[in-house]
Amino acid sequence: MTTITSPQTNGLGQFFKNNRGVLFSIAGLIFLPFALTLLDGQSIGSMLANESGLSKFYQGLAIEIFILAIYALSYDLLFGITGLLSFGHAMFFGVGAYLTGIMLKSFSWGLLPIIGLVAVAGLVMALIFSIVLPRVKGITFALVTLGIAQVFYIVIQSREMADLAGAEIGLQGVTPPAYLNPVEQRLRFYYVGLVVLFGVYFLYKRFVDSPTGHVCVAIRENEDRATMLGFNTFYFKLVALTISSITAAFAGAMHGLFHPIIRPGIASSHYTIAALLMILMGGIGTLDGAIIGAATFKLLSFYLEKWFGGTSQVIIGVVYIMLVLFLPYGIVGTWKLRGVRLRDGWRDFLQRLKPSQTNND
Amino acid sequence: MTTLLQSFRKNRALWVTLLVLCITFLMAVRGLVDPIAEGGERYKNVVITILRGLSTGSIIFLVASGFSIIFGLMNVLNMAHGALFMIGAYVGWTMAVRPDTVVDAFTPLVLLSAGFTLLPFLDWSLQKLNLPKVAGGLLPWVGLILAIVVLGFAFPKYPITSWDVGSYEISPTNYAFAASQGQLVAPEPEGFAGISPLVGLGSIILGGILAAISMAGFAANRRRSGAGTGSTKESLPWKSFLIFIGLVFLGWIVYFFNTPISTFLLNIDTTWLFILAVLVAVATGVLLGALIEATLVRPLYETHLYVLMLTLGVSSIIIEVVRAIWGAPEFTMPRPSIFDGTGEGCPAESLGALIEHKCSTIQVLGGRVRTYNEIFIPILGIVVLITVWILLQRTRLGMIVRAGVQDSDMVKALGINVQRIFTIVFALGVGLATLGGVIGAPSTGLTTTLGDSLLINLLVALAIGGLTSYPGAAAGALIVGLLQQFIIKYGQIGIHIPFMDEPFKPTPPLVPAMTVLLMVVILLVMPNGLFGRKE
């Protein structure tokens, strides 16, 4: 294992050089609320006091993007890095959201114990999935996870759970703690979301660059070969699954704190597909791609909904199909893997976008 | 005897699993026997539950068989199968309840598809022309854009009798009832709005041809870059012209005789309408399947994961389109009249009386069995099972398909046009799904979530039976159907568990939960399913 060398990350200068784009984005996002305030003509003081305005609205949108980005990152680790196709990822998200909501509403726990509980729940769910992990592979694993997640989706919608989870309507009347209220303390929530997102991002980047991460990539590329090299692939898959599920549960917890109603739809298979769509837009297997894909997805669905109303879903579906057909590497993937240079011309660009002949199963 | 022992040793897990399943089944049956009743009536619940299980299983099987053959042959996990099942149900409902709308929609669709029959000719001419690179690259996009513009101009102006979905907001229940009976007042078609019929119909034909040109152009580009395999035909394909002219002619005839055809269809017996609905739904499925395969799936054969994601997108588009066309309310589809009699002599006492009075229910061991749901659907399921089995075992196509499931590269190497076989199998598989949809519609009703719930059942059934095995699809569908109906039945009467005063009643959410649990357990014992091929 020592033969695998990770990229040079020692030294602050090197770190800055490697992550220039990300650090610029973080700086931009830190100043975004202020810039929007100035654009709106609102005073900085009123923005700091969380008075409603353009800035507050876009902060809300950005927080939703942060949550989705964490969720997409976790799915990218599982599917894009380790190559485990799971259709039950929305269950992780849903468990996080519902646990947070139920604990706040029915048991009035504090935020810290809830975070611990969510982490434990993520671990437990990963262990549940890991029962089938060593036995079924590929498509069958996807089907089993879909089935397990579907059971959870049905259970939270059932009438027997109505007192706790609110049946089909969703969990209502959750009061988040006053210091992290999404309405009165939105600016604080925004920065908390930003910190969590990029904390997760850098942790993930470290994980992917670590020897363990390298083995995960090897499992994605060729599991038999990884086994032949002497790695216990089950262990590595379990590590990736656990990290992924805990992260997704945290994303769900933030969703539960931010949204006034926790709808059961967040645990449905459509939400897993949304994660798939996000990382597909950004580029499968690239962590930057997950964040960019989540932002693209949210903005696209938000504005299409605003402009086209009901037909927006059809348009998103068409965009999705076009992406699969013509841009299979996503935004970041195309940028990185194919090295797009503008002077190569448009024709050459199109030539590069063609689905490759390699096997991806 | 020794061979039996050997096969037992080889497939120990399979035999043990089957044994456990059988014992569980027998125990479940025993629990349903009514100890108080006399004679044959003791088995009333058992018979009815098994029949219902067969019915549910038949619907799942109809869809699962196509799905598993498609997956086995071309490694395409068609996640749009549930949505296509739903399309079958909705199209069948429209044909059975509002045949006039189908007649209205027939003309533009036929005229549109007429353009696509020219594809062989266009392919041929593009090969002969051998356009320069830039023109060849631009042609399909220009064709596509022009097609969208022309169709976008003509289609919205086409007079299709529709019902007012907007009135749903006033009273959902009334609306759903009226819609299910086909009693909504529809605006009369007044001919093309604003343009003459000649221009309207002509531009639909033109749009179809332009779309076909664009498709041929894309195919030519793929061929040039070496991705696709295409055979060069030397002679001009005249046949496609004849089909084109025939379809255009058919479209015009239906347009000019629209009113008499609609009146005729509205006045015939519901049994005939039901048969027509089945035919229309299956035809829709076959055409849609061929279209999806040819345009979307074919470029991505080599990349299975992308096909999976693509079909997911297709599924969501179909669901949204259904929601846009038919609206959100639930519909019920009327049963065909030979299974819908309720008058004198019903419920029927014997099979003869059933046929004579066309009863909707029949008296079996003191209980009532619904003729359509619990007798007709299982029989149809078995008929389809045997038909497809014969197709697979006794025909040339079936032989190629079986060979392709084992090793598609070898089939290709033997000089068989695999691409054509793929298209045919995909189309037939989707046709089976829509058949399941229209057959199941009278018993389950129509909602826009129909496809989702079916897809889950279908995947569970296939995972239990083995993903690529045809007998496995049948066995899995049967197991899932029986399990669901038994749990539903036990939910009504309750299970007596020792040391508990109250009988335990499984609640509705337990139904899917138990099927999934069974799937997980079986997959833990046998990772490839009961009859799945070992990897």
Side-chain angles (χ1 to χ4, degrees):
Chain A
M1 212 184 280
T2 47
T3 51
I4 301 169
T5 52
S6 50
Q8 298 268 308
T9 42
N10 45 351
L12 216 57
Q14 192 67 38
F15 178 77
F16 273 112
K17 212 173 174 187
N18 283 346
N19 299 296
R20 209 184 300 148
V22 181
L23 292 174
F24 274 125
S25 322
I26 295 176
L29 283 171
I30 288 173
F31 288 109
L32 183 71
F34 297 95
L36 284 170
T37 314
L38 293 177
L39 212 71
D40 196 24
Q42 207 182 355
S43 72
I44 298 281
S46 77
M47 191 273 287
L48 288 174
N50 282 297
E51 276 168 27
S52 56
L54 189 75
S55 177
K56 187 166 181 178
F57 171 74
Y58 280 104
Q59 279 168 38
L61 198 59
I63 292 168
E64 286 191 46
I65 290 174
F66 294 160
I67 293 167
L68 283 180
I70 299 169
Y71 177 53
L73 268 174
S74 70
Y75 196 62
D76 200 21
L77 182 73
L78 195 62
F79 173 55
I81 307 286
T82 321
L84 280 175
L85 180 59
S86 154
F87 278 151
H89 207 67
M91 185 178 92
F92 300 152
F93 192 80
V95 165
Y98 269 91
L99 259 188
T100 312
I102 289 170
M103 284 302 157
L104 279 174
K105 189 189 169 194
S106 305
F107 299 90
S108 46
W109 279 25
L111 201 55
L112 274 177
I114 287 176
I115 289 173
L117 186 73
V118 165
V120 171
L123 185 70
V124 169
M125 281 184 296
L127 290 179
I128 291 175
F129 272 26
S130 75
I131 298 171
V132 291
L133 194 55
R135 286 164 197 269
V136 292
K137 288 193 178 84
I139 298 296
T140 325
F141 181 71
L143 297 189
V144 175
T145 49
L146 175 69
I148 296 174
Q150 204 65 23
V151 171
F152 173 73
Y153 177 53
I154 291 159
V155 166
I156 54 164
Q157 275 185 304
S158 63
R159 304 225 178 279
E160 286 72 21
M161 294 276 286
D163 294 341
L164 281 176
E168 291 118 21
I169 309 149
L171 190 52
Q172 286 167 310
V174 180
T175 42
Y179 55 88
L180 207 62
N181 194 309
V183 183
E184 278 131 38
Q185 297 287 351
R186 183 164 291 179
L187 193 64
R188 190 181 281 166
F189 204 111
Y190 175 87
Y191 285 119
V192 168
L194 188 66
V195 166
V196 174
L197 169 62
F198 283 97
V200 167
Y201 170 79
F202 282 115
L203 274 176
Y204 270 34
K205 212 173 166 65
R206 183 70 194 85
F207 176 79
V208 174
D209 285 340
S210 74
T212 314
H214 281 276
V215 179
C216 287
V217 174
I219 290 171
R220 176 190 70 191
E221 292 298 326
N222 192 338
E223 186 171 351
D224 291 335
R225 192 163 153 74
T227 318
M228 289 276 276
L229 287 171
F231 295 112
N232 184 355
T233 53
F234 167 68
Y235 166 73
F236 291 95
K237 284 197 276 189
L238 183 60
V239 168
L241 181 63
T242 312
I243 296 176
S244 169
S245 75
I246 292 176
T247 320
F250 276 134
M254 283 174 70
H255 180 97
L257 284 174
F258 184 69
H259 286 266
I261 303 174
I262 304 167
R263 297 188 187 282
I266 59 165
S268 70
S269 56
H270 293 279
Y271 219 69
T272 309
I273 292 165
L276 192 59
L277 181 51
M278 282 179 239
I279 64 170
L280 186 73
M281 276 181 178
I284 294 171
T286 59
L287 295 178
D288 318 321
I291 298 177
I292 290 175
T296 318
F297 175 78
K298 181 69 204 174
L299 293 174
L300 201 64
S301 45
F302 177 78
Y303 282 107
L304 285 179
E305 183 89 51
K306 201 170 158 186
W307 294 330
F308 296 99
T311 49
S312 65
Q313 285 298 315
V314 179
I315 299 172
I316 290 175
V318 172
V319 167
Y320 179 69
I321 286 179
M322 289 291 155
L323 274 172
V324 175
L325 279 175
F326 299 109
L327 208 76
Y329 296 103
I331 299 165
V332 177
T334 312
W335 191 268
K336 273 190 179 169
L337 299 173
R338 307 253 128 172
V340 176
R341 288 184 298 268
L342 284 176
R343 63 192 148 95
D344 281 351
W346 182 244
R347 252 204 83 73
D348 195 53
F349 175 71
L350 284 179
Q351 204 72 54
R352 284 158 184 274
L353 299 186
K354 293 231 167 77
S356 74
Q357 306 289 309
T358 53
N359 264 320
N360 272 313
D361 57 331
Chain B
M1 196 62 202
T2 44
T3 49
L4 199 71
L5 264 175
Q6 266 172 2
S7 97
F8 179 78
R9 272 201 204 112
K10 239 185 234 166
N11 304 313
R12 195 179 295 152
L14 172 66
W15 286 108
V16 171
T17 318
L18 285 181
L19 194 71
V20 171
L21 282 177
C22 280
I23 290 170
T24 323
F25 176 68
L26 287 177
M27 277 170 68
V29 165
R30 201 171 153 270
L32 281 185
V33 175
D34 193 352
I36 306 159
E38 296 276 317
E41 289 192 14
R42 300 172 69 173
Y43 301 103
K44 182 181 81 179
N45 280 343
V46 178
V47 171
I48 290 177
T49 313
I50 289 179
L51 282 176
R52 282 190 187 155
L54 281 175
S55 168
T56 314
S58 294
I59 299 292
I60 297 174
F61 169 73
L62 282 180
V63 192
S65 56
F67 186 95
S68 91
I69 294 174
I70 291 173
F71 180 66
L73 183 65
M74 36 191 151
N75 252 322
V76 168
L77 209 62
N78 183 15
M79 301 301 268
H81 232 69
L84 289 163
F85 167 84
M86 191 177 75
I87 282 273
Y90 272 91
V91 169
W93 176 84
T94 314
M95 186 64 212
V97 175
R98 296 299 304 257
D100 49 335
T101 306
V102 178
V103 174
D104 285 346
F106 183 79
T107 307
L109 292 179
V110 161
L111 292 182
L112 191 63
S113 58
F116 287 91
T117 56
L118 284 178
L119 262 178
F121 165 71
L122 293 169
D123 260 342
W124 178 84
S125 50
L126 275 180
Q127 266 169 22
K128 287 284 157 193
L129 278 175
N130 207 3
L131 289 171
K133 251 194 166 182
V134 180
L138 280 178
L139 176 79
W141 292 102
V142 172
L144 190 66
I145 291 165
L146 280 179
I148 290 171
V149 168
V150 170
L151 291 177
F153 163 73
F155 245 104
K157 297 189 174 64
Y158 193 85
I160 294 177
T161 317
S162 57
W163 44 91
D164 190 8
V165 179
S167 67
Y168 165 61
E169 278 140 24
I170 303 167
S171 166
T173 37
N174 285 350
Y175 177 80
F177 180 74
S180 68
Q181 303 296 318
Q183 285 167 348
L184 289 182
V185 184
E188 281 295 310
E190 301 162 356
F192 275 99
I195 46 173
S196 76
L198 210 65
V199 176
L201 295 179
S203 42
I204 289 175
I205 299 174
L206 183 68
I209 295 174
L210 283 170
I213 289 177
S214 132
M215 249 178 84
F218 277 123
N221 286 354
R222 266 209 305 282
R223 211 175 299 129
R224 191 177 295 151
S225 65
T229 50
S231 54
T232 37
K233 288 195 191 76
E234 285 308 314
S235 60
L236 182 70
W238 287 106
K239 255 191 212 163
S240 66
F241 271 118
L242 289 179
I243 301 171
F244 174 74
I245 291 166
L247 281 182
V248 169
F249 197 60
L250 185 67
W252 283 78
I253 284 182
V254 173
Y255 181 77
F256 286 111
F257 292 98
N258 186 316
T259 325
I261 296 175
S262 300
T263 336
F264 168 72
L265 285 177
L266 279 170
N267 289 324
I268 57 173
D269 190 60
T270 48
T271 309
W272 291 110
L273 265 184
F274 183 77
I275 294 171
L276 272 178
V278 170
L279 290 179
V280 167
V282 172
T284 313
V286 169
L287 289 177
L288 256 181
L291 190 70
I292 291 173
E293 202 278 342
T295 53
L296 299 175
V297 179
R298 192 175 292 170
L300 291 172
Y301 270 136
E302 302 298 318
T303 54
H304 307 308
L305 212 60
Y306 284 111
V307 182
L308 198 157
M309 294 191 276
L310 180 103
T311 51
L312 280 174
V314 172
S315 166
S316 75
I317 288 183
I318 290 176
I319 291 172
E320 290 304 325
V321 166
V322 165
R323 214 167 270 170
I325 295 178
W326 282 278
E330 293 183 16
F331 299 140
T332 51
M333 185 163 158
R335 284 189 292 269
S337 63
I338 54 164
F339 300 121
D340 209 21
T342 48
E344 170 217 5
C346 289
E349 301 283 342
S350 65
L351 213 60
L354 175 77
I355 294 163
E356 191 189 332
H357 297 293
K358 300 169 179 171
C359 286
S360 64
T361 51
I362 181 172
Q363 205 84 20
V364 175
L365 304 173
R368 282 185 185 184
V369 172
R370 281 167 294 178
T371 323
Y372 181 86
N373 289 10
E374 281 130 33
I375 294 184
F376 173 68
I377 292 180
I379 288 176
L380 194 100
I382 292 166
V383 167
V384 170
L385 172 76
I386 294 168
T387 316
V388 176
W389 181 251
I390 290 172
L391 248 171
L392 279 176
Q393 296 292 331
R394 291 270 179 273
T395 62
R396 191 178 147 72
L397 176 71
M399 192 177 69
I400 299 172
V401 169
R402 277 184 297 138
V405 170
Q406 293 216 332
D407 191 342
S408 71
D409 287 339
M410 192 63 213
V411 175
K412 233 179 272 174
L414 288 172
I416 288 160
N417 186 354
V418 187
Q419 205 149 70
R420 225 188 82 228
I421 302 288
F422 280 5
T423 312
I424 291 172
V425 167
F426 201 93
L428 290 181
V430 174
L432 276 176
T434 45
L435 174 68
V438 64
I439 294 292
S443 72
T444 55
L446 290 89
T447 56
T448 45
T449 54
L450 202 61
D452 279 348
S453 50
L454 185 100
L455 189 69
I456 301 289
N457 281 339
L458 156 84
L459 293 175
V460 169
L462 282 178
I464 288 175
L467 268 172
T468 55
S469 141
Y470 182 71
L478 182 68
I479 290 172
V480 169
L482 282 176
L483 182 71
Q484 287 190 349
Q485 292 302 331
F486 266 96
I487 295 172
I488 290 172
K489 192 73 204 170
Y490 272 113
Q492 289 161 6
I493 62 168
I495 306 172
H496 288 281
I497 297 173
F499 311 114
M500 271 176 77
D501 298 335
E502 292 274 307
F504 169 66
K505 287 188 175 176
T507 48
L510 264 176
V511 177
M514 286 301 285
T515 49
V516 168
L517 194 69
L518 182 74
M519 172 185 79
V520 171
V521 169
I522 284 186
L523 283 179
L524 284 181
V525 182
M526 307 182 70
N528 294 315
L530 290 178
F531 301 101
R533 186 174 37 163
K534 289 201 172 55
E535 299 293 327

